[in-house]
Amino acid sequence: LCPGFIDLHVHAPQFAFAGTATDRPLLQWLETYTFPTERRFREDLKYAQTVYHAVVSELLANGTTTAVYFATLDVEPCRILVDIAFKQGQRALVGKVCMDRNAPTDYCHSTEQNIRDTETLIAYIYQTAGRRTSTGSLPLILPVITPRFIPTCTPQLLRALGDLAKVHSCHVTSHISESVDEVEWSRQLDQVDQKNISEGRSDAIVFDSYGLLTDQCIMAHGVYLQDDSDWALLRSRGTSIAHCPLSNFFFAGNVLPTRRLMQRGNRIGLATDIAGGSSPSMLHSARMAVVASRALHHHQNTQSNEDDVILDYRHAFFLATLGGAESLGLQDRIGTFRVGMEFDAIILSAANQDGRSPIHVFETDNVGDVFQKLCVLGDDRNIRRVFVQGKDVTVQRTR
Ligand code: GUN
Ligand code: FE
């Protein structure tokens, strides 16, 4: 019996093309695959229903009891995602994606509409699942303010979203310092936006200047954040990083120094980043985090201290559970087991009763070995039961 997994960053509509489209760098990938797919959700609500039902079911079947979902620009399909997560019993943070510049004309909204629709979705979520109170239990669905990333958001929009985050004291999420081309573009835009400075600022400083780096903010990637300045800024604000190791191999072309960030005291958790990352499984993401740390160690030519770089399955399991809860500021409610917390749990089992487990346990294995095998070799076949808020929400696979 383990705490359920917490996926800190997943694009629900992109589940439609997860497992394909890994042949372009980030900005071309957005134009070619992502924006057309997400736009389709506006016109075809039945499609939205189908894809959202599939992604919520698949994540639950993989033991993800909490997901931070990026939805789409349009508020109607966002409501559908809220309804489906609520009905299936998955804990979710759902964000209406905001873009008011540098997006296709048919998949871009005005600043005002982005703000209005964000407020509409927040109100809908509070209406559906209730508000968080200081004493009561956690509502199943929470809103999250979601500027897509700096290049597609004007300073006016970012400022207004920062204000909304304060007014509603709700979560914030976005992408930060993800890839070389994105970082360069952000800097150029900021230089123009600010007019009188010689050089654009880093993503972290820009987000912070609009009040978006809060202790309820989860920023995805962060591979190109600067160690001394940006990391310290995130730390001082209590802002966390969603580590997306597989996606980083494709778009970032580099590895996040996860272990070092943990040692510095930065809040950090793990994510799949569907469809930048193809797998819906947090066990898979956890393994990728271990592999990524090895790649970083090799790249640094093993000069660096192993204890400063390499993650093992235990670190990765922590990041997939309690690390995620801490990143959301919800460590008093989820991510581990203590009396009075929500019961968000999974039964991870290596038992091979139906002959479908990929894990083989021998008499020489102790309980620690079995747990390690589950972390390293396990998949959805080993996730026997899933509970959220004490309710059995196990997905019945019809294979
Ligand atoms: N940056 C802006 N949008 C996206 C997205 O949809 N996926 C990823 N990985 N990065 C982004
Ligand atoms: Fe992403």
Side-chain angles (χ1 to χ4, degrees):
L1 186 69
C2 304
F5 297 125
I6 298 173
D7 187 339
L8 284 184
H9 183 83
V10 40
H11 297 265
Q14 295 175 23
F15 188 62
F17 66 93
T20 70
T22 54
D23 60 336
R24 313 263 157 113
L26 176 64
L27 303 175
Q28 288 174 36
W29 176 85
L30 288 171
E31 292 276 338
T32 311
Y33 304 112
T34 304
F35 295 154
T37 299
E38 291 186 10
R39 199 194 57 229
R40 184 174 172 163
F41 281 62
R42 169 193 306 164
E43 290 140 18
D44 192 344
L45 296 180
K46 195 136 195 331
Y47 182 67
Q49 201 116 31
T50 306
V51 174
Y52 286 157
H53 184 266
V55 70
V56 170
S57 304
E58 190 59 39
L59 263 61
L60 273 176
N62 277 282
T64 297
T65 49
T66 298
V68 180
Y69 286 120
F70 277 59
T72 62
L73 241 64
D74 302 285
V75 74
E76 199 47 43
C78 289
R79 284 201 186 100
I80 293 177
L81 180 57
V82 170
D83 293 348
I84 288 176
F86 191 72
K87 184 150 174 266
Q88 300 238 102
Q90 184 179 47
R91 194 180 296 291
L93 289 85
V94 179
K96 182 212 103 63
V97 176
C98 292
M99 299 203 278
D100 69 343
R101 67 170 171 184
N102 297 321
T105 47
D106 60 354
Y107 192 56
C108 189
H109 286 164
S110 68
T111 311
E112 295 69 32
Q113 189 177 353
N114 275 289
I115 298 162
R116 211 180 324 118
D117 287 351
T118 296
E119 289 197 277
T120 302
L121 186 67
I122 293 171
Y124 182 72
I125 291 171
Y126 286 156
Q127 210 178 63
T128 308
R131 275 172 206 257
R132 193 177 181 196
T133 63
S134 52
T135 50
S137 85
L138 196 56
L140 195 65
I141 316 290
L142 295 171
V144 54
I145 288 171
T146 310
R148 178 163 220 127
F149 66 156
I150 287 169
T152 57
C153 300
T154 60
Q156 293 73 22
L157 177 57
L158 293 173
R159 189 182 308 281
L161 294 177
D163 292 346
L164 272 189
K166 199 183 230 163
V167 169
H168 292 281
S169 83
C170 65
H171 287 85
V172 174
T173 193
S174 190
H175 298 88
I176 195 167
S177 301
E178 176 177 5
S179 64
V180 173
D181 47 354
E182 176 270 315
V183 165
E184 180 57 25
W185 194 15
S186 285
R187 270 195 193 276
Q188 283 171 6
L189 288 166
D190 188 56
Q191 189 176 355
V192 175
D193 292 338
Q194 299 306 309
K195 291 186 185 82
N196 56 355
I197 54 172
S198 57
E199 184 181 51
R201 300 167 296 176
S202 75
D203 282 9
I205 297 175
V206 173
F207 278 126
D208 190 51
S209 72
Y210 300 119
L212 288 159
L213 291 193
T214 69
D215 60 0
Q216 294 193 94
C217 173
I218 311 102
M219 286 288 174
H221 308 291
V223 175
Y224 293 96
L225 291 169
Q226 295 303 307
D227 180 342
D228 44 355
S229 51
D230 294 334
W231 289 13
L233 178 56
L234 265 64
R235 251 193 331 269
S236 73
R237 299 291 184 248
T239 295
S240 61
I241 296 174
H243 178 32
C244 310
L246 180 56
S247 166
N248 290 342
F249 277 118
F250 286 99
F251 294 144
N254 216 329
V255 173
L256 185 75
T258 307
R259 182 92 188 258
R260 206 166 292 143
L261 278 157
M262 291 168 80
Q263 284 167 348
R264 296 279 159 83
N266 283 72
R267 293 160 101 181
I268 182 160
L270 204 55
T272 59
D273 192 24
I274 287 169
S278 48
S279 173
S281 161
M282 286 295 286
L283 281 170
H284 185 272
S285 187
R287 299 201 270 271
M288 284 294 129
V290 172
V291 171
S293 75
R294 291 270 162 182
L296 185 62
H297 191 245
H298 300 326
H299 176 68
Q300 294 181 342
N301 218 0
T302 62
Q303 292 303 308
S304 52
N305 183 355
E306 279 196 16
D307 293 342
D308 206 24
V309 181
I310 292 177
L311 299 171
D312 69 26
Y313 68 97
R314 295 165 302 179
H315 301 109
F317 185 83
F318 166 81
L319 291 172
T321 53
L322 189 53
E326 288 177 352
S327 296
L328 292 168
L330 297 177
Q331 67 281 356
D332 58 333
R333 309 303 315 159
I334 58 174
T336 188
F337 298 137
R338 269 204 321 272
V339 173
M341 290 176 70
E342 313 291 335
F343 185 71
D344 287 12
I346 57 178
I347 294 179
L348 256 180
S349 169
N352 204 8
Q353 67 234 55
D354 53 7
R356 293 192 306 119
S357 170
I359 295 171
H360 296 265
V361 177
F362 302 102
E363 61 195 1
T364 39
D365 288 324
N366 64 29
V367 76
D369 297 325
V370 176
F371 179 66
Q372 187 172 356
K373 284 185 175 184
L374 280 163
C375 290
V376 176
L377 298 168
D379 62 27
D380 61 311
R381 291 169 291 186
N382 302 102
I383 292 163
R384 294 296 162 91
R385 299 278 290 276
V386 182
F387 300 89
V388 175
Q389 228 163 39
K391 189 172 153 210
D392 188 339
V393 295
T394 309
V395 173
Q396 296 304 329
R397 296 280 209 189
T398 45
R399 290 198 227 236

